Amino acid sequence: MAGGGTKPRPPLGVSTLVILATLIALFSLVPLGYVIYMTVATGWDTVVELIVRPRVGELLLNTILLVLVTLPLCLVLGVGGAWLVERTNLQGHRWWALALAAPLAIPAFVNSYAWASTIPSLAGLSAGTLIATLSYFPLVYIPVAATLGRLDPAIEQSAASLGLGPWAVFFRVVLPQLRIAMAGGSLLVALHLLSEYGAFAMIRFDTFTTAIMIQFQSTFNGAAGNMLASVLVLLCMLLLLAEAKTRGNARYSRVGVGAQRLATRLRLGRHEIAAQLALLALFVLSLGVPLYSVVRWLVAGGAAIWDPTEFFPALAQTMGYGLTGALITCVVAFPMAFLAVRHPNWFSKLLELSNYITSSMPGIVVGLAFVTVAIRLVPGIYQSAYVLLAAYVLLFLPRALVNLRAGLSQAPRELEEAARSLGRSPALAFFRVTLRLSAPAAAGGVALVFLAIVNELTATLLLAPNGTRTLATAFWAKSSEIDYAGAAPYALLMILISLPMTYLLFQQSKKAAGQ
Amino acid sequence: MTIRKNVLAGMALIATAALSLTACSANAPAAGESDAGGITVYNAQHESLTQEWVDAFTAETGIKVTVRNGSDTEMSNQIIQEGKASPADVFLTENSPAMTQVENAGLFSDIDKATIDQVPAEFRPSTNKWTGIAARSTVFVYDPKKISADQLPKSMLDLAKPEWKGKWAASPTGADFQAIVAALLELKGEEATTQWLAGMKENFTAYKGNSTAMKAVNAGEIDAALIYHYYYYGDQAKTGENSKNVTSYYFKNQDPGAFVSVSGGGVLASSKHSEQAQEFLKFVTGKKGQEILKDGTSFEYAVGSEVASNEKLVPLNELQAPTVDPAKLDSAKVTDLMTKAGLL
């Protein structure tokens, strides 16, 4: 080994990493195994009876309609917004670029609360679509804007020189190159739509997830709730398949050397006013309404709603869980990301896939699985912070994974080897070069997971230790008793601690797209 | 080898740091290691009412109380799932069916004699495995601009008839409403209940929570709602902004819609602090605990220690409630029937 100058030994104990990654993947399959186990244990006849009934039909229709209506709207807003800020000479496009990402800092259930308390009659599919679209379009906007900013304009210029008009260039040249970003963003939106509970419960719109939560509150662990969950898991898997199909295998990145030219910004001319008005409307609806509503309730509640003995512990617990959960998730994701980048093969793909399946399941299903498994197998840690953190890790692992992968692939192994040949010890070379180069991406991963944990409601409600109050659960308890004023400080705090993370994420996605 | 060790050590270090961070910031004891002497209450009663009880109890006895909040059947089923490993010492509900469920699972210990003596027999089960701690009456709140007095239903059963289609609201997911259905099931039998639920599914609009349903009547979204009485009185006592356009109507006449539901409290047989847990129930049903019901903001009926209920309420003995043994209310059957009716 000592003389291995030409064929360096693996930089890390690959076998150790494989074992670690396999263990994590197996662990992450616990919720899926639970749903399958419950379905089998319930017995076929009962399963059919519980799944083939009018109520499930209603829920299926509601859920599918929600996805079918919301997804195109998010795509139009996300892609349209990204194109305006990245590719036109829009006045103040730098400012708009941030303003379109900012709604991500407002949890969907806070958005719902804001709208429902402004227009109390909001209910049903149209209200669900409104709130979901305004909450989730940044999930499409951020990756699309990042990709658009890095597209090679040469292709567009060639197309234009061959006689295509601006619209034709957009639809025939630009849009196809955005396919990966759009597919990825759409998948995230769709998974959120399937798993959202609080936002839809508040406006009386029943989806599979709200119905499972209701079943759970009526029976804690009834067969009916589990059967609904199994249908939901199937829907999630269909989405994953659909995304893989849309994504395709085509290569869109630039091949060869040479500097890429900056894209020329299209002159908006007389369309400038229309574009500004459209963005302003989106801004008012997605940020203005929730902020106005929160401030209105803060004013109405006065000093009485700021009870420091209540909100300080909630803030501390939320920060504690958010930061700890995000750090652990990134550490746990590391072996898998490393294998996927440095040793890509069918096995590492399989490991990765198993994590995606789990994280596509809603918090309520993962929560239920953990409650049951923890009571039966490890009663000692039932209702402890460990179980809740473990659920967070499983739910949000891919968010860290995606970012870490991007970061690690930006740190070529050759650099690490160069450092070693210059006399650094292997460990030092790894820490100084690879880990350092992938650190910004890891920070993006931490930010994304942190945001997710701060906004998580259902798994937290089920698994949190006795006496736990996070900002999200405190907000939910108050707003459920229609104490809108009492809920407002928690809404404000959630938005305030999410904003810097959203900004970090936005910056990070721009860098990651440049790889 | 050194790299591997270093990386693993580094990862272990981060993980440990992270865990210790939670330990201090989350500051919540794990199951089974609750503070010595303190008790854990699984609470399905209103958070604010239980908090008033807890604060007064801790002030008097110095016993620390940790509260876990949830809904009636969510917590009863959770306690059953947890079995002997349950961290709960005391279980409080809004209604009695969930108490019966835990009692039937054999998980309650007997209530202390001193507590039993404070609560009249009509507000506790004959088994004395748990006790009533408060009571609540069914009420039909309506918008008098839309429904005149002579159009009011004579019986709750009328609400399943076609003429009530699209006119009334309820919160079927709540334990409150499920207790009313349990009473109907006990009084009229399974067939009549199934039929009524089918008519309800046709006619009603679902809201999440009784107060939300009342708010909808007040806002003119719907004509009427079947809820419990104290949402109305609670709102009237505050600003009245959710009930100023609303009138309340009691079915009386031993109708299923005149049902009075008993809120329950029990001590878990698995409790490691049963003495303190019993003391808590004694406090809640005692003079001080019941006076919180009389003078506080909950507007539920007092049931123990000969404390009168809030004087703003229609007195319990004028409600002509049907006689129902709380021990016979069957929540599992009710959720089953409601699931079959497509309400859950």
Side-chain angles (χ1 to χ4, degrees):
Chain A
M1 284 268 218
T6 46
K7 193 171 180 290
R9 61 178 180 179
L12 260 180
V14 176
S15 54
T16 318
L17 284 182
V18 170
I19 292 170
L20 277 177
T22 311
L23 285 177
I24 293 160
L26 284 178
F27 180 59
S28 81
L29 287 175
V30 165
L32 181 66
Y34 164 78
V35 171
I36 294 173
Y37 170 80
M38 290 304 284
T39 309
V40 173
T42 306
W44 186 245
D45 290 346
T46 320
V47 168
V48 171
E49 189 186 323
L50 284 170
I51 290 181
V52 186
R53 61 187 170 109
R55 178 66 175 160
V56 177
E58 284 169 28
L59 297 173
L60 199 60
L61 191 68
N62 272 359
T63 309
I64 289 175
L65 280 178
L66 177 73
V67 174
L68 288 183
V69 181
T70 308
L71 214 48
L73 285 173
C74 284
L75 280 170
V76 168
L77 294 178
V79 175
W83 187 77
L84 280 176
V85 300
E86 292 293 337
R87 284 306 180 86
T88 69
N89 66 340
L90 184 80
Q91 286 293 313
H93 58 83
R94 279 171 204 280
W95 188 85
W96 280 121
L98 278 175
L100 289 178
L104 202 61
I106 298 175
F109 52 86
V110 170
N111 216 347
S112 185
Y113 146 93
W115 279 91
S117 67
T118 310
I119 310 175
S121 59
L122 274 186
L125 179 67
S126 52
T129 307
L130 172 79
I131 282 152
T133 305
L134 293 177
S135 300
Y136 297 139
F137 82 86
L139 294 172
V140 176
Y141 162 76
I142 292 178
V144 169
T147 314
L148 260 182
R150 298 286 181 152
L151 282 188
D152 188 344
I155 311 175
E156 290 157 63
Q157 284 151 6
S158 317
S161 71
L162 290 171
L164 288 184
W167 283 105
V169 170
F170 178 76
F171 279 103
R172 288 171 59 183
V173 180
V174 178
L175 212 55
Q177 297 187 80
L178 297 176
R179 204 157 84 167
I180 292 182
M182 283 164 63
S186 305
L187 177 68
L188 274 183
V189 173
L191 290 175
H192 272 91
L193 293 177
L194 291 195
S195 62
E196 178 61 47
Y197 164 69
F200 298 143
M202 204 154 336
I203 50 163
R204 298 188 288 116
F205 177 57
D206 291 336
T207 67
F208 267 96
T209 297
T210 62
I212 293 170
M213 197 69 178
I214 284 163
Q215 271 291 342
F216 165 76
Q217 281 168 352
S218 307
T219 59
F220 190 71
N221 206 357
N226 277 299
M227 290 314 106
L228 290 180
S230 66
V231 177
L232 190 55
V233 170
L234 277 180
L235 285 179
C236 290
M237 287 185 180
L238 279 179
L239 281 179
L240 285 176
L241 270 179
E243 195 260 355
K245 273 250 182 274
T246 337
R247 176 188 282 267
N249 289 320
R251 180 183 168 114
Y252 298 106
S253 62
R254 198 185 150 81
V255 183
V257 291
Q260 179 175 316
R261 281 210 287 165
L262 278 178
T264 42
R265 289 181 175 268
L266 193 75
R267 298 184 56 83
L268 280 174
R270 60 196 171 90
H271 299 296
E272 169 90 28
I273 292 177
Q276 291 285 357
L277 284 179
L279 288 178
L280 187 68
L282 185 58
F283 177 75
V284 168
L285 293 178
S286 64
L287 276 174
V289 171
L291 292 180
Y292 160 77
S293 203
V294 169
V295 170
R296 181 166 64 100
W297 287 115
L298 285 175
V299 172
I305 52 176
W306 291 95
D307 182 354
T309 58
E310 280 189 26
F311 79 77
F312 270 127
L315 180 64
Q317 292 195 347
T318 305
M319 293 299 282
Y321 277 115
L323 291 174
T324 320
L327 280 176
I328 297 179
T329 308
C330 273
V331 171
V332 169
F334 187 83
M336 219 161 267
F338 195 87
L339 285 179
V341 171
R342 296 280 172 97
H343 307 277
N345 56 27
W346 65 270
F347 189 67
S348 57
K349 276 221 171 90
L350 188 73
L351 292 181
E352 235 186 310
L353 187 70
S354 69
N355 291 307
Y356 280 105
I357 288 177
T358 303
S359 70
S360 72
M361 295 160 73
I364 173 83
V365 180
V366 174
L368 263 177
F370 268 59
V371 165
T372 312
V373 172
I375 294 173
R376 304 239 170 104
L377 301 182
V378 279
I381 58 161
Y382 171 64
Q383 276 183 11
S384 70
Y386 301 107
V387 179
L388 185 55
L389 284 171
Y392 286 151
V393 169
L394 289 204
L395 280 169
F396 307 129
L397 198 61
R399 293 168 196 241
L401 203 54
V402 168
N403 277 274
L404 273 177
R405 271 186 64 152
L408 281 171
S409 57
Q410 276 176 319
R413 127 193 341 212
E414 288 78 10
L415 281 184
E416 194 180 319
E417 281 156 10
R420 272 199 254 168
S421 67
L422 290 172
R424 296 270 182 248
S425 76
L428 209 57
F430 173 78
F431 278 111
R432 282 275 174 83
V433 179
T434 304
L435 219 51
R436 209 154 108 186
L437 282 176
S438 58
V446 168
L448 196 54
V449 178
F450 178 86
L451 272 180
I453 293 177
V454 168
N455 298 349
E456 213 289 331
L457 186 64
T458 41
T460 313
L461 284 175
L462 296 196
L463 296 172
N466 287 325
T468 299
R469 259 290 142 90
T470 64
L471 294 175
T473 60
F475 171 83
W476 186 246
K478 299 268 182 197
S479 59
S480 294
E481 289 189 10
I482 48 173
D483 181 1
Y484 290 148
Y490 299 98
L492 182 70
L493 286 173
M494 267 187 281
I495 296 172
L496 286 182
I497 63 175
S498 298
L499 270 175
M501 291 296 183
T502 304
Y503 182 71
L504 177 64
L505 198 66
F506 177 69
Q507 295 295 75
Q508 200 49 49
S509 73
K510 297 235 137 185
K511 282 186 205 150
Q515 56 175 303
Chain B
M1 274 314 266
T2 40
I3 299 181
R4 196 191 305 171
K5 268 186 199 152
N6 277 335
V7 170
L8 285 179
M11 279 163 41
L13 194 73
I14 295 173
T16 320
L19 282 178
S20 54
L21 177 68
T22 335
C24 50
S25 56
N27 193 22
E33 49 174 88
S34 47
D35 299 356
I39 56 172
T40 297
V41 173
Y42 273 27
N43 175 49
Q45 249 294 352
H46 286 207
E47 284 188 43
S48 38
L49 171 62
T50 299
Q51 200 55 49
E52 284 181 76
W53 274 330
V54 163
D55 290 343
F57 175 69
T58 306
E60 184 169 291
T61 61
I63 297 170
K64 238 187 89 188
V65 180
T66 305
V67 180
R68 183 182 188 85
N69 292 300
S71 71
D72 276 11
T73 36
E74 174 186 356
M75 306 224 104
S76 61
N77 284 292
Q78 183 169 8
I79 287 172
I80 292 168
Q81 285 271 318
E82 289 167 355
K84 288 199 173 89
S86 179
D89 298 296
V90 175
F91 179 33
L92 300 183
T93 58
E94 293 190 327
N95 298 283
S96 60
M99 300 303 291
T100 308
Q101 206 189 345
V102 176
E103 179 184 346
N104 290 342
L107 295 175
F108 277 140
S109 67
D110 290 327
I111 297 291
D112 275 1
K113 177 92 172 47
T115 304
I116 295 170
D117 291 345
Q118 296 183 135
V119 183
E122 58 198 287
F123 297 118
R124 56 181 162 83
S126 52
T127 53
N128 290 325
K129 285 287 182 185
W130 52 274
T131 176
I133 54 173
R136 42 185 57 198
S137 168
T138 314
V139 69
F140 193 64
V141 291
Y142 66 101
D143 182 344
K145 290 195 290 293
K146 297 203 177 132
I147 301 174
S148 64
D150 58 321
Q151 288 171 320
L152 285 166
K154 293 232 157 27
S155 161
M156 184 182 93
L157 297 175
D158 293 344
L159 296 175
K161 291 181 180 164
E163 61 258 37
W164 283 94
K165 188 171 171 69
K167 290 194 172 158
W168 62 285
S171 173
T173 58
D176 283 358
F177 190 80
Q178 289 168 13
I180 297 174
V181 179
L184 175 64
L185 178 65
E186 173 60 17
L187 290 165
K188 302 283 174 188
E190 185 171 336
E191 206 190 313
T193 306
T194 305
Q195 269 176 20
W196 189 78
L197 289 173
M200 169 181 171
K201 168 86 180 169
E202 275 298 302
N203 289 354
F204 94 123
T205 305
Y207 283 84
K208 188 182 171 291
N210 282 329
S211 40
T212 324
M214 181 177 74
K215 200 167 168 249
V217 178
N218 187 64
E221 285 173 38
I222 190 114
D223 299 358
L226 192 63
I227 59 172
Y228 278 160
H229 76 280
Y230 58 88
Y231 294 95
Y232 175 78
Y233 292 97
D235 194 69
Q236 287 282 310
K238 277 191 267 176
T239 57
E241 71 173 305
N242 297 318
S243 63
K244 57 180 185 288
N245 307 321
V246 167
T247 307
S248 60
Y249 166 67
Y250 291 89
F251 287 100
K252 299 196 174 173
N253 206 17
Q254 280 78 41
D255 189 75
F259 171 62
V260 167
S261 184
V262 174
S263 303
V267 172
L268 276 301
S270 56
S271 167
K272 291 186 190 74
H273 316 97
S274 58
E275 206 173 301
Q276 292 91 330
Q278 292 284 1
E279 208 173 321
F280 180 72
L281 275 191
K282 191 174 133 200
F283 176 85
V284 165
T285 52
K287 197 152 182 297
K288 281 187 186 156
Q290 293 294 299
E291 270 171 356
I292 286 175
L293 289 171
K294 176 173 166 264
D295 306 324
T297 52
S298 79
F299 290 96
E300 292 183 58
Y301 286 103
V303 295
S305 300
E306 293 173 342
V307 173
S309 294
N310 194 308
E311 57 194 18
K312 291 202 176 104
L313 302 176
V314 179
L316 256 182
N317 57 17
E318 287 175 22
L319 293 176
Q320 301 172 11
T323 315
V324 184
D325 179 358
K328 288 199 173 143
L329 299 181
D330 185 347
S331 68
K333 184 83 198 169
V334 165
T335 46
D336 189 34
L337 289 178
M338 288 179 72
T339 302
K340 284 199 174 119
L343 291 163
L344 290 180

